Amino acid sequence: MNYLITGGAGFVGSHLADTLLAQGHRVTVLDDLSTGSMSNIAHLREHPRFRYVIENMLNPPLLAELVDEADAVFHLAAAVGVKLIVESPVRTLETNIRCTELLLAVAAKKGRKVLLTSTSEVYGKSTAIPFREDGDLVMGCTTRGRWSYACSKAIDEFLAIAYWREKQLPTVVVRLFNTVGPRQTGRYGMVIPNFVRQALAGEPITVYGDGLQSRCFTHVSDSVRALAGLMEAEAAVGEVHNIGSTQEISILGLAERVREMTESKSEIVYVPYAVAYEENFEDMPRRVPCLDKIRRTIGWEPEVNLDEILDSVIQFRQSRMLNPA
Ligand code: UDP
């Protein structure tokens, strides 16, 4: 197959490119490097079945050409990271909604299947643990910046499903839960790259809030295996699937584990949410996916456990410290 990956120079997109190439496919990456990075795809530049286009995807003639040349599209281009979202709400809303709108319109004209990567953020403040794909989405109010991300992704999901129902464009919607691994940057607030960098530098490890909030972390290699599998599954068309792990850990527990595994002497400090993000910031106390549906559709299970995940991030960070280029 010939796949187009929007946002393919990002953390998840670049790993997806690796996996698809290893499976024998052709891959074109479209990325404007706003949060992605050339270093994520530098190792693929000479690959005979790989090419990249550095451009903003809100360029209708270019997008039409690239979609036309592809057999199917993985749509990963989006504003990501809670810090970025809170600081740049206009960019978040515009990027997430406009890019998806344009891509779906172009894909419908050309008849190309689209897989949309949404997020576990859409469950918002729901307390119906584990989160099932058919559960209610519980958003906070519009004056709190964080929810703009959840709402923009929920609109993307509505759009993708509407294109399938009304225009018969095959679309697949996935909700990625906290996805981590090598190449992820802490610049946009993600917790594991931040904690690992802080621990290795001997700086204080910053736990936001009381640290009792918990998350389940998925290794990016597991996530991209699920993306590739769902793209190929007939039964995933017009449907929403969670992709995540159910191994839950509190953020304080995570800070302690990172400190242990790095043999760091860093102290763990508590930072109020208002200082870390913005006044009246709302966090989710827990976020756990129900995996019944993805198990039924493609038989997928996460295989990499939390210690292996942390190990891979620590090794990546150490190699970057030795070879900063
Ligand atoms: N967090 C933290 N310290 C950091 C970065 C994040 O305590 O340096 C917390 C954050 O408040 C949240 C959790 O870690 O409760 C996961 O944050 P992340 O941004 O990685 O993902 P989220 O689950 O919020 O989308």
PDB file of all heavy atoms in Angstrom, residues 82 121 146 178 188-192 194-195 198 206-209 213 215 217 251 273 277 281 283-284 287, ligand 1:
ATOM      1  N   VAL A  82      -0.835  19.213  26.560  1.00  0.00           N
ATOM      2  CA  VAL A  82      -1.739  20.058  27.353  1.00  0.00           C
ATOM      3  C   VAL A  82      -1.161  21.472  27.516  1.00  0.00           C
ATOM      4  O   VAL A  82      -1.884  22.460  27.443  1.00  0.00           O
ATOM      5  CB  VAL A  82      -2.019  19.402  28.730  1.00  0.00           C
ATOM      6  CG1 VAL A  82      -2.936  20.279  29.566  1.00  0.00           C
ATOM      7  CG2 VAL A  82      -2.656  18.038  28.531  1.00  0.00           C
ATOM      8  N   GLU A 121      -8.592  12.356  25.688  1.00  0.00           N
ATOM      9  CA  GLU A 121      -9.076  13.630  26.257  1.00  0.00           C
ATOM     10  C   GLU A 121     -10.563  13.813  26.023  1.00  0.00           C
ATOM     11  O   GLU A 121     -11.230  14.507  26.780  1.00  0.00           O
ATOM     12  CB  GLU A 121      -8.354  14.817  25.605  1.00  0.00           C
ATOM     13  CG  GLU A 121      -7.009  15.170  26.182  1.00  0.00           C
ATOM     14  CD  GLU A 121      -7.077  16.131  27.375  1.00  0.00           C
ATOM     15  OE1 GLU A 121      -7.941  17.014  27.430  1.00  0.00           O
ATOM     16  OE2 GLU A 121      -6.238  15.963  28.271  1.00  0.00           O
ATOM     17  N   ARG A 146      -8.326  23.964  28.489  1.00  0.00           N
ATOM     18  CA  ARG A 146      -8.049  22.554  28.218  1.00  0.00           C
ATOM     19  C   ARG A 146      -9.129  21.899  27.366  1.00  0.00           C
ATOM     20  O   ARG A 146      -8.831  21.063  26.515  1.00  0.00           O
ATOM     21  CB  ARG A 146      -7.943  21.816  29.548  1.00  0.00           C
ATOM     22  CG  ARG A 146      -7.887  20.337  29.355  1.00  0.00           C
ATOM     23  CD  ARG A 146      -7.671  19.569  30.617  1.00  0.00           C
ATOM     24  NE  ARG A 146      -7.012  18.331  30.237  1.00  0.00           N
ATOM     25  CZ  ARG A 146      -6.202  17.657  30.995  1.00  0.00           C
ATOM     26  NH1 ARG A 146      -5.920  18.092  32.179  1.00  0.00           N
ATOM     27  NH2 ARG A 146      -5.649  16.556  30.564  1.00  0.00           N
ATOM     28  N   ASN A 178      -2.592   7.952  26.801  1.00  0.00           N
ATOM     29  CA  ASN A 178      -1.218   8.455  26.975  1.00  0.00           C
ATOM     30  C   ASN A 178      -0.189   7.539  26.311  1.00  0.00           C
ATOM     31  O   ASN A 178       0.021   6.414  26.756  1.00  0.00           O
ATOM     32  CB  ASN A 178      -0.907   8.608  28.465  1.00  0.00           C
ATOM     33  CG  ASN A 178      -1.800   9.656  29.111  1.00  0.00           C
ATOM     34  OD1 ASN A 178      -3.006   9.467  29.213  1.00  0.00           O
ATOM     35  ND2 ASN A 178      -1.213  10.752  29.529  1.00  0.00           N
ATOM     36  N   TYR A 188       6.039  20.058  25.249  1.00  0.00           N
ATOM     37  CA  TYR A 188       4.613  20.421  25.266  1.00  0.00           C
ATOM     38  C   TYR A 188       3.919  19.884  26.510  1.00  0.00           C
ATOM     39  O   TYR A 188       2.703  19.787  26.547  1.00  0.00           O
ATOM     40  CB  TYR A 188       3.941  19.955  23.965  1.00  0.00           C
ATOM     41  CG  TYR A 188       4.739  20.423  22.775  1.00  0.00           C
ATOM     42  CD1 TYR A 188       5.470  19.530  21.994  1.00  0.00           C
ATOM     43  CD2 TYR A 188       4.843  21.790  22.500  1.00  0.00           C
ATOM     44  CE1 TYR A 188       6.261  19.981  20.946  1.00  0.00           C
ATOM     45  CE2 TYR A 188       5.633  22.246  21.468  1.00  0.00           C
ATOM     46  CZ  TYR A 188       6.339  21.341  20.693  1.00  0.00           C
ATOM     47  OH  TYR A 188       7.123  21.801  19.679  1.00  0.00           O
ATOM     48  N   GLY A 189       4.721  19.508  27.508  1.00  0.00           N
ATOM     49  CA  GLY A 189       4.174  19.189  28.823  1.00  0.00           C
ATOM     50  C   GLY A 189       4.102  17.712  29.158  1.00  0.00           C
ATOM     51  O   GLY A 189       3.786  17.372  30.287  1.00  0.00           O
ATOM     52  N   MET A 190       4.373  16.799  28.214  1.00  0.00           N
ATOM     53  CA  MET A 190       4.150  15.383  28.509  1.00  0.00           C
ATOM     54  C   MET A 190       5.013  14.908  29.678  1.00  0.00           C
ATOM     55  O   MET A 190       6.198  15.204  29.780  1.00  0.00           O
ATOM     56  CB  MET A 190       4.430  14.510  27.289  1.00  0.00           C
ATOM     57  CG  MET A 190       3.289  14.516  26.310  1.00  0.00           C
ATOM     58  SD  MET A 190       3.334  15.992  25.333  1.00  0.00           S
ATOM     59  CE  MET A 190       2.271  15.547  23.975  1.00  0.00           C
ATOM     60  N   VAL A 191       4.370  14.113  30.520  1.00  0.00           N
ATOM     61  CA  VAL A 191       4.963  13.854  31.825  1.00  0.00           C
ATOM     62  C   VAL A 191       6.217  12.961  31.784  1.00  0.00           C
ATOM     63  O   VAL A 191       7.206  13.260  32.476  1.00  0.00           O
ATOM     64  CB  VAL A 191       3.892  13.302  32.804  1.00  0.00           C
ATOM     65  CG1 VAL A 191       3.367  11.934  32.393  1.00  0.00           C
ATOM     66  CG2 VAL A 191       4.412  13.278  34.213  1.00  0.00           C
ATOM     67  N   ILE A 192       6.195  11.868  31.040  1.00  0.00           N
ATOM     68  CA  ILE A 192       7.338  10.937  31.131  1.00  0.00           C
ATOM     69  C   ILE A 192       8.635  11.548  30.588  1.00  0.00           C
ATOM     70  O   ILE A 192       9.662  11.515  31.275  1.00  0.00           O
ATOM     71  CB  ILE A 192       6.995   9.548  30.534  1.00  0.00           C
ATOM     72  CG1 ILE A 192       6.039   8.840  31.509  1.00  0.00           C
ATOM     73  CG2 ILE A 192       8.256   8.716  30.288  1.00  0.00           C
ATOM     74  CD1 ILE A 192       5.695   7.401  31.178  1.00  0.00           C
ATOM     75  N   ASN A 194       9.417  14.578  30.536  1.00  0.00           N
ATOM     76  CA  ASN A 194       9.796  15.611  31.514  1.00  0.00           C
ATOM     77  C   ASN A 194      10.466  15.005  32.737  1.00  0.00           C
ATOM     78  O   ASN A 194      11.540  15.444  33.152  1.00  0.00           O
ATOM     79  CB  ASN A 194       8.542  16.354  32.016  1.00  0.00           C
ATOM     80  CG  ASN A 194       8.352  17.664  31.305  1.00  0.00           C
ATOM     81  OD1 ASN A 194       9.246  18.157  30.636  1.00  0.00           O
ATOM     82  ND2 ASN A 194       7.175  18.229  31.463  1.00  0.00           N
ATOM     83  N   PHE A 195       9.828  13.994  33.313  1.00  0.00           N
ATOM     84  CA  PHE A 195      10.370  13.378  34.532  1.00  0.00           C
ATOM     85  C   PHE A 195      11.753  12.765  34.255  1.00  0.00           C
ATOM     86  O   PHE A 195      12.675  12.883  35.058  1.00  0.00           O
ATOM     87  CB  PHE A 195       9.427  12.293  35.059  1.00  0.00           C
ATOM     88  CG  PHE A 195       8.238  12.810  35.837  1.00  0.00           C
ATOM     89  CD1 PHE A 195       7.995  14.180  35.960  1.00  0.00           C
ATOM     90  CD2 PHE A 195       7.342  11.926  36.447  1.00  0.00           C
ATOM     91  CE1 PHE A 195       6.892  14.655  36.678  1.00  0.00           C
ATOM     92  CE2 PHE A 195       6.251  12.389  37.166  1.00  0.00           C
ATOM     93  CZ  PHE A 195       6.020  13.751  37.278  1.00  0.00           C
ATOM     94  N   GLN A 198      14.358  15.505  33.888  1.00  0.00           N
ATOM     95  CA  GLN A 198      14.645  16.115  35.184  1.00  0.00           C
ATOM     96  C   GLN A 198      15.497  15.174  36.051  1.00  0.00           C
ATOM     97  O   GLN A 198      16.480  15.596  36.654  1.00  0.00           O
ATOM     98  CB  GLN A 198      13.328  16.447  35.909  1.00  0.00           C
ATOM     99  CG  GLN A 198      12.554  17.579  35.237  1.00  0.00           C
ATOM    100  CD  GLN A 198      11.105  17.700  35.717  1.00  0.00           C
ATOM    101  OE1 GLN A 198      10.517  16.724  36.214  1.00  0.00           O
ATOM    102  NE2 GLN A 198      10.522  18.884  35.558  1.00  0.00           N
ATOM    103  N   THR A 206       8.978  17.506  38.875  1.00  0.00           N
ATOM    104  CA  THR A 206       7.811  18.357  39.148  1.00  0.00           C
ATOM    105  C   THR A 206       6.509  17.581  39.040  1.00  0.00           C
ATOM    106  O   THR A 206       6.031  17.285  37.939  1.00  0.00           O
ATOM    107  CB  THR A 206       7.777  19.526  38.141  1.00  0.00           C
ATOM    108  OG1 THR A 206       7.847  18.975  36.804  1.00  0.00           O
ATOM    109  CG2 THR A 206       8.944  20.488  38.352  1.00  0.00           C
ATOM    110  N   VAL A 207       5.930  17.266  40.183  1.00  0.00           N
ATOM    111  CA  VAL A 207       4.623  16.594  40.205  1.00  0.00           C
ATOM    112  C   VAL A 207       3.550  17.671  40.319  1.00  0.00           C
ATOM    113  O   VAL A 207       3.565  18.463  41.260  1.00  0.00           O
ATOM    114  CB  VAL A 207       4.551  15.617  41.397  1.00  0.00           C
ATOM    115  CG1 VAL A 207       3.128  15.124  41.608  1.00  0.00           C
ATOM    116  CG2 VAL A 207       5.501  14.450  41.179  1.00  0.00           C
ATOM    117  N   TYR A 208       2.644  17.711  39.358  1.00  0.00           N
ATOM    118  CA  TYR A 208       1.589  18.732  39.387  1.00  0.00           C
ATOM    119  C   TYR A 208       0.428  18.253  40.255  1.00  0.00           C
ATOM    120  O   TYR A 208       0.050  17.076  40.206  1.00  0.00           O
ATOM    121  CB  TYR A 208       1.074  19.022  37.972  1.00  0.00           C
ATOM    122  CG  TYR A 208       2.127  19.552  37.009  1.00  0.00           C
ATOM    123  CD1 TYR A 208       1.906  19.513  35.628  1.00  0.00           C
ATOM    124  CD2 TYR A 208       3.333  20.101  37.468  1.00  0.00           C
ATOM    125  CE1 TYR A 208       2.862  19.994  34.732  1.00  0.00           C
ATOM    126  CE2 TYR A 208       4.284  20.587  36.576  1.00  0.00           C
ATOM    127  CZ  TYR A 208       4.048  20.524  35.214  1.00  0.00           C
ATOM    128  OH  TYR A 208       4.979  20.996  34.320  1.00  0.00           O
ATOM    129  N   GLY A 209      -0.141  19.193  41.018  1.00  0.00           N
ATOM    130  CA  GLY A 209      -1.254  18.835  41.905  1.00  0.00           C
ATOM    131  C   GLY A 209      -0.727  17.970  43.050  1.00  0.00           C
ATOM    132  O   GLY A 209       0.424  18.112  43.469  1.00  0.00           O
ATOM    133  N   GLN A 213      -3.434  11.790  40.970  1.00  0.00           N
ATOM    134  CA  GLN A 213      -4.069  11.497  39.671  1.00  0.00           C
ATOM    135  C   GLN A 213      -3.281  10.370  39.008  1.00  0.00           C
ATOM    136  O   GLN A 213      -2.066  10.271  39.187  1.00  0.00           O
ATOM    137  CB  GLN A 213      -4.117  12.756  38.776  1.00  0.00           C
ATOM    138  CG  GLN A 213      -2.805  13.231  38.185  1.00  0.00           C
ATOM    139  CD  GLN A 213      -2.014  14.169  39.091  1.00  0.00           C
ATOM    140  OE1 GLN A 213      -2.069  14.069  40.307  1.00  0.00           O
ATOM    141  NE2 GLN A 213      -1.243  15.074  38.496  1.00  0.00           N
ATOM    142  N   ARG A 215      -2.611   7.630  35.499  1.00  0.00           N
ATOM    143  CA  ARG A 215      -2.684   7.445  34.047  1.00  0.00           C
ATOM    144  C   ARG A 215      -2.222   6.027  33.715  1.00  0.00           C
ATOM    145  O   ARG A 215      -1.543   5.371  34.519  1.00  0.00           O
ATOM    146  CB  ARG A 215      -1.755   8.426  33.309  1.00  0.00           C
ATOM    147  CG  ARG A 215      -2.144   9.893  33.410  1.00  0.00           C
ATOM    148  CD  ARG A 215      -3.432  10.221  32.676  1.00  0.00           C
ATOM    149  NE  ARG A 215      -3.721  11.643  32.662  1.00  0.00           N
ATOM    150  CZ  ARG A 215      -4.372  12.298  33.616  1.00  0.00           C
ATOM    151  NH1 ARG A 215      -4.803  11.653  34.681  1.00  0.00           N
ATOM    152  NH2 ARG A 215      -4.619  13.591  33.504  1.00  0.00           N
ATOM    153  N   PHE A 217       0.024   4.222  30.696  1.00  0.00           N
ATOM    154  CA  PHE A 217       0.914   4.625  29.596  1.00  0.00           C
ATOM    155  C   PHE A 217       1.109   3.476  28.608  1.00  0.00           C
ATOM    156  O   PHE A 217       1.347   2.334  29.005  1.00  0.00           O
ATOM    157  CB  PHE A 217       2.263   5.085  30.164  1.00  0.00           C
ATOM    158  CG  PHE A 217       2.130   6.337  31.000  1.00  0.00           C
ATOM    159  CD1 PHE A 217       1.991   6.255  32.381  1.00  0.00           C
ATOM    160  CD2 PHE A 217       2.092   7.581  30.405  1.00  0.00           C
ATOM    161  CE1 PHE A 217       1.838   7.401  33.152  1.00  0.00           C
ATOM    162  CE2 PHE A 217       1.936   8.739  31.161  1.00  0.00           C
ATOM    163  CZ  PHE A 217       1.814   8.640  32.539  1.00  0.00           C
ATOM    164  N   ILE A 251       0.721   9.633  39.389  1.00  0.00           N
ATOM    165  CA  ILE A 251       1.825  10.456  38.886  1.00  0.00           C
ATOM    166  C   ILE A 251       2.935  10.537  39.936  1.00  0.00           C
ATOM    167  O   ILE A 251       4.124  10.538  39.581  1.00  0.00           O
ATOM    168  CB  ILE A 251       1.297  11.844  38.445  1.00  0.00           C
ATOM    169  CG1 ILE A 251       0.310  11.670  37.271  1.00  0.00           C
ATOM    170  CG2 ILE A 251       2.433  12.786  38.061  1.00  0.00           C
ATOM    171  CD1 ILE A 251       0.861  10.955  36.033  1.00  0.00           C
ATOM    172  N   TYR A 273      -1.418  23.199  40.076  1.00  0.00           N
ATOM    173  CA  TYR A 273      -1.878  23.249  38.681  1.00  0.00           C
ATOM    174  C   TYR A 273      -1.915  24.689  38.153  1.00  0.00           C
ATOM    175  O   TYR A 273      -1.609  24.938  36.989  1.00  0.00           O
ATOM    176  CB  TYR A 273      -3.288  22.663  38.557  1.00  0.00           C
ATOM    177  CG  TYR A 273      -3.341  21.154  38.643  1.00  0.00           C
ATOM    178  CD1 TYR A 273      -4.088  20.521  39.634  1.00  0.00           C
ATOM    179  CD2 TYR A 273      -2.677  20.368  37.713  1.00  0.00           C
ATOM    180  CE1 TYR A 273      -4.163  19.137  39.710  1.00  0.00           C
ATOM    181  CE2 TYR A 273      -2.742  18.980  37.772  1.00  0.00           C
ATOM    182  CZ  TYR A 273      -3.482  18.370  38.775  1.00  0.00           C
ATOM    183  OH  TYR A 273      -3.554  17.008  38.832  1.00  0.00           O
ATOM    184  N   TYR A 277      -0.082  25.219  34.720  1.00  0.00           N
ATOM    185  CA  TYR A 277      -0.904  25.462  33.523  1.00  0.00           C
ATOM    186  C   TYR A 277      -1.548  26.847  33.586  1.00  0.00           C
ATOM    187  O   TYR A 277      -1.014  27.794  33.060  1.00  0.00           O
ATOM    188  CB  TYR A 277      -1.983  24.380  33.372  1.00  0.00           C
ATOM    189  CG  TYR A 277      -1.440  22.981  33.228  1.00  0.00           C
ATOM    190  CD1 TYR A 277      -1.574  22.056  34.255  1.00  0.00           C
ATOM    191  CD2 TYR A 277      -0.804  22.574  32.061  1.00  0.00           C
ATOM    192  CE1 TYR A 277      -1.095  20.754  34.129  1.00  0.00           C
ATOM    193  CE2 TYR A 277      -0.315  21.278  31.921  1.00  0.00           C
ATOM    194  CZ  TYR A 277      -0.465  20.372  32.955  1.00  0.00           C
ATOM    195  OH  TYR A 277       0.009  19.096  32.825  1.00  0.00           O
ATOM    196  N   PHE A 281      -7.344  25.379  36.344  1.00  0.00           N
ATOM    197  CA  PHE A 281      -7.081  24.218  35.473  1.00  0.00           C
ATOM    198  C   PHE A 281      -7.747  22.978  36.065  1.00  0.00           C
ATOM    199  O   PHE A 281      -7.709  22.755  37.275  1.00  0.00           O
ATOM    200  CB  PHE A 281      -5.572  23.985  35.367  1.00  0.00           C
ATOM    201  CG  PHE A 281      -5.212  22.824  34.494  1.00  0.00           C
ATOM    202  CD1 PHE A 281      -5.155  22.961  33.119  1.00  0.00           C
ATOM    203  CD2 PHE A 281      -4.940  21.575  35.048  1.00  0.00           C
ATOM    204  CE1 PHE A 281      -4.833  21.874  32.303  1.00  0.00           C
ATOM    205  CE2 PHE A 281      -4.611  20.493  34.241  1.00  0.00           C
ATOM    206  CZ  PHE A 281      -4.559  20.647  32.876  1.00  0.00           C
ATOM    207  N   ASP A 283      -7.862  18.842  35.974  1.00  0.00           N
ATOM    208  CA  ASP A 283      -7.181  17.618  35.538  1.00  0.00           C
ATOM    209  C   ASP A 283      -8.155  16.449  35.698  1.00  0.00           C
ATOM    210  O   ASP A 283      -9.154  16.557  36.392  1.00  0.00           O
ATOM    211  CB  ASP A 283      -5.924  17.383  36.396  1.00  0.00           C
ATOM    212  CG  ASP A 283      -4.924  16.474  35.704  1.00  0.00           C
ATOM    213  OD1 ASP A 283      -5.143  16.132  34.521  1.00  0.00           O
ATOM    214  OD2 ASP A 283      -3.916  16.115  36.334  1.00  0.00           O
ATOM    215  N   MET A 284      -7.826  15.327  35.045  1.00  0.00           N
ATOM    216  CA  MET A 284      -8.651  14.132  35.239  1.00  0.00           C
ATOM    217  C   MET A 284      -7.992  13.280  36.312  1.00  0.00           C
ATOM    218  O   MET A 284      -6.807  12.980  36.204  1.00  0.00           O
ATOM    219  CB  MET A 284      -8.686  13.264  33.980  1.00  0.00           C
ATOM    220  CG  MET A 284      -9.325  13.878  32.826  1.00  0.00           C
ATOM    221  SD  MET A 284      -8.129  14.932  32.050  1.00  0.00           S
ATOM    222  CE  MET A 284      -9.069  15.454  30.647  1.00  0.00           C
ATOM    223  N   ARG A 287      -7.738   7.845  34.207  1.00  0.00           N
ATOM    224  CA  ARG A 287      -8.048   7.665  32.786  1.00  0.00           C
ATOM    225  C   ARG A 287      -7.614   6.252  32.405  1.00  0.00           C
ATOM    226  O   ARG A 287      -6.419   5.987  32.284  1.00  0.00           O
ATOM    227  CB  ARG A 287      -7.257   8.696  32.006  1.00  0.00           C
ATOM    228  CG  ARG A 287      -7.649   8.791  30.578  1.00  0.00           C
ATOM    229  CD  ARG A 287      -6.667   9.631  29.843  1.00  0.00           C
ATOM    230  NE  ARG A 287      -7.023  11.015  29.779  1.00  0.00           N
ATOM    231  CZ  ARG A 287      -6.157  11.966  29.443  1.00  0.00           C
ATOM    232  NH1 ARG A 287      -4.896  11.675  29.224  1.00  0.00           N
ATOM    233  NH2 ARG A 287      -6.551  13.208  29.343  1.00  0.00           N
TER     234      ARG A 287
HETATM  235  N1  UDP B   1       2.307  16.133  34.947  1.00  0.00           N
HETATM  236  C1  UDP B   1       3.144  16.336  36.046  1.00  0.00           C
HETATM  237  N2  UDP B   1       4.381  16.896  35.837  1.00  0.00           N
HETATM  238  C2  UDP B   1       4.846  17.250  34.600  1.00  0.00           C
HETATM  239  C3  UDP B   1       4.000  17.034  33.474  1.00  0.00           C
HETATM  240  C4  UDP B   1       2.734  16.478  33.695  1.00  0.00           C
HETATM  241  O1  UDP B   1       2.777  16.022  37.178  1.00  0.00           O
HETATM  242  O2  UDP B   1       5.993  17.743  34.498  1.00  0.00           O
HETATM  243  C5  UDP B   1       0.998  15.503  35.169  1.00  0.00           C
HETATM  244  C6  UDP B   1      -0.198  16.175  34.497  1.00  0.00           C
HETATM  245  O3  UDP B   1      -0.731  17.196  35.299  1.00  0.00           O
HETATM  246  C7  UDP B   1      -1.167  15.003  34.356  1.00  0.00           C
HETATM  247  C8  UDP B   1      -0.230  13.806  34.108  1.00  0.00           C
HETATM  248  O4  UDP B   1       1.049  14.204  34.601  1.00  0.00           O
HETATM  249  O5  UDP B   1      -1.891  14.776  35.541  1.00  0.00           O
HETATM  250  C9  UDP B   1      -0.115  13.411  32.638  1.00  0.00           C
HETATM  251  O6  UDP B   1       0.208  14.585  31.895  1.00  0.00           O
HETATM  252  P1  UDP B   1       0.464  14.591  30.346  1.00  0.00           P
HETATM  253  O7  UDP B   1       0.534  16.028  29.907  1.00  0.00           O
HETATM  254  O8  UDP B   1       1.635  13.722  30.018  1.00  0.00           O
HETATM  255  O9  UDP B   1      -0.817  13.898  29.722  1.00  0.00           O
HETATM  256  P2  UDP B   1      -2.403  14.126  29.973  1.00  0.00           P
HETATM  257  O10 UDP B   1      -2.838  12.852  30.602  1.00  0.00           O
HETATM  258  O11 UDP B   1      -2.596  15.292  30.864  1.00  0.00           O
HETATM  259  O12 UDP B   1      -2.946  14.323  28.623  1.00  0.00           O
END
